[in-house]
């Protein structure tokens, strides 16, 4: 009888045991292989970065003193075939704070701006006296602070911005404990070094075309062509900016004085009309001459040549002159009669509009007036009342003047609120006042409504002939960009000062 084929229970168990053992051996072998690979990698890395890397030795020495710290680092690298040594020395200078010049005013909550000329402008703020409108300039070369023109408003916590053209714009802030300001103001600045645009500045003068002899007054036309009353050369010069010489447009080009219609005797004041004609105060001939554009002789429009007196058709030493372009009315300083006369266009006689009450310092009198400016916005005359060391405003039709700058009693001085024989005067479109303060050898700027001026050109109380000094300037005018032109009279030249 045949046995049935198949596995017994014993055979099945033996098969399972055998299969399990074979799998275990495979796993052990695989683990050992992975372990060997890891060891090889580790050994390779050790060999590469430890056993084959050159040995280093570092030495650091630090030496310190009260003023500087010196650190020296020495590194030596050695290999089998070469040796190199690297030495580095670093010196660090300690910063030390030191005092410089004190500001003129204690201030906080102000601004400090670095200008293009490396000076620092401090503006506004608040002090123990309250809110400030003052500003001052720091000069790092002299370590000193100099007061500059005050702002129109007192303010603190404001901003100050340096514009691309170099101007400083101050905006906002506050001037009490709660209310904010919406006003803004510009800082007026001019290059303090002048450029000679007419004359040579020589103390030895002639009537050559490149020279001037005591230029007394100035005018600019719409093309920025300069007109100069060349007083001691008895002529009027036309000077194109940039030219080396001027052209005589009235008077004798050779400087000869005279009394006829082609000559002058110490002309002092000039003003242009819209047609290019020019009115000239022919001072020592006691008359005013009008030369039309291109004319070769003049016509007397005020005064009588050779005659002096106080009648309304006469003048004695006329100096400053101004024109109301809307009406054609001329205003003439009749100096030795201590008055200002108005002449209607074509009139043979004038009318006293200021002074005429004798020489004096009273508010109804004038005292050796010289310069004159007609302010059309207020229908008034700005008068350089030189003998009283002040600038006054006389409204047309009024019986007295109002003080604008200087002393009301005639006191002279060189402080910011005083003048010393002011001769030339002009206004800008904002009503700011510019004064040729002759015997202080400076140009003063008085912001509208302010009685303290700022020296913007020249050095107060010091005369000189270099490009930062003036010597008894007698006239100041501005072009449309507010660049200054100054008749530097006793230096026999005209100086231009660029606004920036």
């Amino acid at each position: 009888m045949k046995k049935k084929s198949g596995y017994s229970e014993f055979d099945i168990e033996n098969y399972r045991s055998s299969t399990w053992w074979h799998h275990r051996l495979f796993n052990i072998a695989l683990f050992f292989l992975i372990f060997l690979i890891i060891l090889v990698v580790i050994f390779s890395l050790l060999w590469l970065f430890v056993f084959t890397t050159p040995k280093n030795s570092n030495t650091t020495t630090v030496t310190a003193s009260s003023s500087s710290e010196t650190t020296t680092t020495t590194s030596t690298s050695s290999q089998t075939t070469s040796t190199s040594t690297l030495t580095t020395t670093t010196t660090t200078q300690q910063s030390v704070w030191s005092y410089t010049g004190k500001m003129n005013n204690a201030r906080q909550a102000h601004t400090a701006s670095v200008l293009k000329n490396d000076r620092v402008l401090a503006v506004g703020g608040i002090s123990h006296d309250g809110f400030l409108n003052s500003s001052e300039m720091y000069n790092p070369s002299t370590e000193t602070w100099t007061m500059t023109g005050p702002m129109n408003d007192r303010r603190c916590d404001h901003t100050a911005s340096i514009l691309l053209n170099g101007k400083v714009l101050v905006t906002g802030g506050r001037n009490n404990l709660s209310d904010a300001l919406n006003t803004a103001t510009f800082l007026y600045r001019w290059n303090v070094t002048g450029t000679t645009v007419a004359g040579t500045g020589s103390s030895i003068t002639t009537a050559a075309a490149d020279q001037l002899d005591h230029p007394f007054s100035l005018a600019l036309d719409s093309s920025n062509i300069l007109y100069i009353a060349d007083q001691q050369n008895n002529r009027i010069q036309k000077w194109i900016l940039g030219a080396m010489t001027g052209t005589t447009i009235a008077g004798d080009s050779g400087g000869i004085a005279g009394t006829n219609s082609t000559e002058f005797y110490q002309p002092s004041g000039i003003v242009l009309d819209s047609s290019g004609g020019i009115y000239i105060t022919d001072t020592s001939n006691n008359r005013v001459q009008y030369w039309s554009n291109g004319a070769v002789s003049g016509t007397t429009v005020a005064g009588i040549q050779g005659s002096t007196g106080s009648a309304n058709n006469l003048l004695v030493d006329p100096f400053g002159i101004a024109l109301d372009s809307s009406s054609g009315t001329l205003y003439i300083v009749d100096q030795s009669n201590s008055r200002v006369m108005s002449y209607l266009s074509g009139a043979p006689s004038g009318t006293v509009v200021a002074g005429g009450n004798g020489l004096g310092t009273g508010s109804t009198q004038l005292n050796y007036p010289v310069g004159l400016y007609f302010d059309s916005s207020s229908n008034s005359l700005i008068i350089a009342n030189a003998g009283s060391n002040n600038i006054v405003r006389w409204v047309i039709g009024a019986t007295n003047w109002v003080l604008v700058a200087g002393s009301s009693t005639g006191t002279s001085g060189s402080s910011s609120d005083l003048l010393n024989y002011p001769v030339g005067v002009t206004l800008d479109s904002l009503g700011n006042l510019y004064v040729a303060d002759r015997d202080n050898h400076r140009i003063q700027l008085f912001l509208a409504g302010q009685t303290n001026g700022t020296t913007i050109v020249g050095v107060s109380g010091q005369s000189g002939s270099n490009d930062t000094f003036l010597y008894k300037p007698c006239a100041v005018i501005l072009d449309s960009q507010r660049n200054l032109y100054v008749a530097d009279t006793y230096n026999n030249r005209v100086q231009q000062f660029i606004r920036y």
Side-chain angles (χ1 to χ4, degrees):
M1 183 174 176
K2 295 181 179 179
K3 291 182 180 179
K4 293 182 180 179
S5 61
Y7 295 104
S8 66
E9 185 177 300
F10 178 78
D11 291 334
I12 292 173
E13 290 297 326
N14 286 339
Y15 175 78
R16 287 175 179 173
S17 299
S18 176
T19 302
W20 173 84
W21 179 249
H22 288 165
H23 281 288
R24 187 174 183 181
L25 289 175
F26 176 79
N27 290 337
I28 292 171
L30 180 61
F31 175 79
F32 184 72
L33 179 62
I34 292 171
F35 180 73
L36 286 177
I37 292 172
I38 292 173
L39 286 177
V40 170
V41 171
I42 293 173
F43 183 77
S44 298
L45 293 174
L46 289 173
W47 180 264
L48 180 63
F49 293 105
V50 178
F51 298 107
T52 63
T53 301
K55 295 181 179 180
N56 297 325
S57 63
N58 297 311
T59 302
T60 301
T61 302
V62 179
T63 303
S65 67
S66 61
S67 61
S68 64
E69 180 181 276
T70 302
T71 301
T72 304
T73 302
T74 303
S75 176
T76 304
S77 300
S78 61
Q79 293 181 345
T80 303
T81 59
S82 64
T83 301
S84 63
T85 300
L86 174 64
T87 302
T88 303
T89 301
T90 303
T91 301
T92 302
Q93 184 69 39
Q94 292 181 345
S95 297
V96 178
W97 289 93
S98 63
Y99 285 107
T100 186
K102 290 184 178 181
M103 290 189 293
N104 294 282
N105 295 119
R107 60 183 80 225
Q108 63 178 333
H110 59 286
T111 55
S113 306
V114 180
L115 307 180
K116 288 187 175 181
N117 59 3
D118 290 333
R119 298 188 180 189
V120 178
L121 177 70
V123 177
I126 189 171
S127 73
H128 59 278
D129 293 325
F131 294 88
L132 301 172
N133 66 344
S134 62
S135 62
E136 48 190 304
M137 192 89 69
Y138 178 71
N139 185 340
S141 63
T142 61
E143 297 187 353
T144 57
W145 292 88
T146 303
M147 297 301 296
T148 62
M151 294 183 292
N152 301 84
D153 296 306
R154 300 175 185 270
R155 65 181 80 214
C156 71
D157 296 330
H158 52 278
T159 63
S161 305
I162 309 295
L163 307 184
L164 293 177
N165 58 9
K167 296 178 183 178
V168 179
L169 176 65
V170 175
T171 57
R174 60 188 177 88
N175 60 7
N176 57 43
L177 296 179
S178 59
D179 293 338
L181 295 170
N182 64 352
T183 58
T185 185
F186 274 118
L187 172 68
Y188 284 76
R189 293 187 300 148
W190 287 265
N191 193 326
V192 296
T193 301
T195 301
T196 301
V197 294
T200 62
S202 173
S203 60
I204 301 174
T205 59
T206 69
D210 65 337
Q211 292 198 5
L212 299 170
D213 190 352
H214 288 72
F216 199 86
S217 63
L218 306 171
L220 279 172
D221 67 13
S222 58
S223 300
N224 271 2
I225 295 175
L226 192 62
Y227 296 82
I228 307 164
D230 190 11
Q231 190 188 66
Q232 298 304 311
N233 273 329
N234 305 297
R235 64 187 183 182
I236 306 301
Q237 294 293 91
K238 177 180 178 180
W239 214 296
I240 298 173
L241 295 181
M244 298 300 294
T245 59
T247 303
T248 301
I249 61 166
D252 184 82
S253 61
I256 297 174
T259 60
N260 64 39
S261 63
T262 63
E263 296 172 322
F264 299 109
Y265 187 12
Q266 296 180 336
S268 299
I270 54 176
V271 65
L272 301 174
D273 67 14
S274 58
S275 66
I278 184 167
Y279 294 92
I280 303 141
T281 55
D282 189 8
T283 302
S284 293
N285 278 327
N286 303 302
R287 65 185 181 182
V288 174
Q289 297 288 92
Y290 177 72
W291 289 57
S292 59
N293 192 4
V296 295
S297 63
T299 302
T300 301
V301 295
I304 300 173
Q305 192 279 320
S307 298
T308 60
S310 59
N312 285 353
N313 65 337
L314 296 176
L315 301 170
V316 183
D317 299 324
F319 272 88
I321 186 169
L323 174 67
D324 179 355
S325 57
S326 63
S327 66
T329 300
L330 274 179
Y331 297 97
I332 305 162
V333 170
D334 187 12
Q335 187 189 75
S336 293
N337 280 320
S338 307
R339 65 188 184 183
V340 177
M341 304 294 293
S342 70
Y343 275 76
L344 300 178
S345 179
S349 183
T351 302
V352 178
V353 292
N357 297 305
L359 182 71
T361 60
S363 64
T364 64
Q365 298 174 304
L366 295 174
N367 187 3
Y368 289 103
V370 183
L372 188 65
Y373 182 88
F374 175 68
D375 180 16
S376 59
S377 65
S378 60
N379 195 36
S380 64
L381 297 169
I382 306 298
I383 305 168
N385 197 24
S388 287
N389 303 297
N390 58 28
I391 308 297
V392 299
R393 181 188 296 273
W394 203 303
V395 176
I396 304 299
T399 58
N400 61 279
W401 52 253
V402 175
L403 184 69
V404 178
S407 169
S408 62
T409 60
T411 302
S412 65
S414 59
S415 61
S416 63
D417 61 337
L418 293 177
L419 301 167
N420 191 0
Y421 208 81
V423 173
V425 62
T426 193
L427 297 180
D428 66 20
S429 59
L430 298 177
N432 301 310
L433 174 70
Y434 302 78
V435 180
D437 190 12
R438 195 192 75 169
D439 288 357
N440 277 325
H441 314 291
R442 65 187 184 182
I443 303 300
Q444 292 292 93
L445 168 63
F446 294 84
L447 297 179
Q450 301 291 329
T451 57
N452 279 285
T454 301
T455 301
I456 56 174
V457 170
V459 178
S460 182
Q462 298 182 44
S463 63
S465 58
N466 69 28
D467 290 338
T468 60
F469 283 87
L470 300 172
Y471 186 17
K472 294 193 175 183
C474 287
V476 56
I477 60 172
L478 300 93
D479 64 18
S480 59
Q481 301 302 312
R482 293 196 181 97
N483 299 312
L484 292 175
Y485 298 83
V486 178
D488 190 11
T489 303
Y490 281 67
N491 277 325
N492 302 305
R493 65 187 180 181
V494 176
Q495 295 290 88
Q496 179 193 55
F497 296 87
I498 299 297
R499 183 190 177 201
Y500 66 98

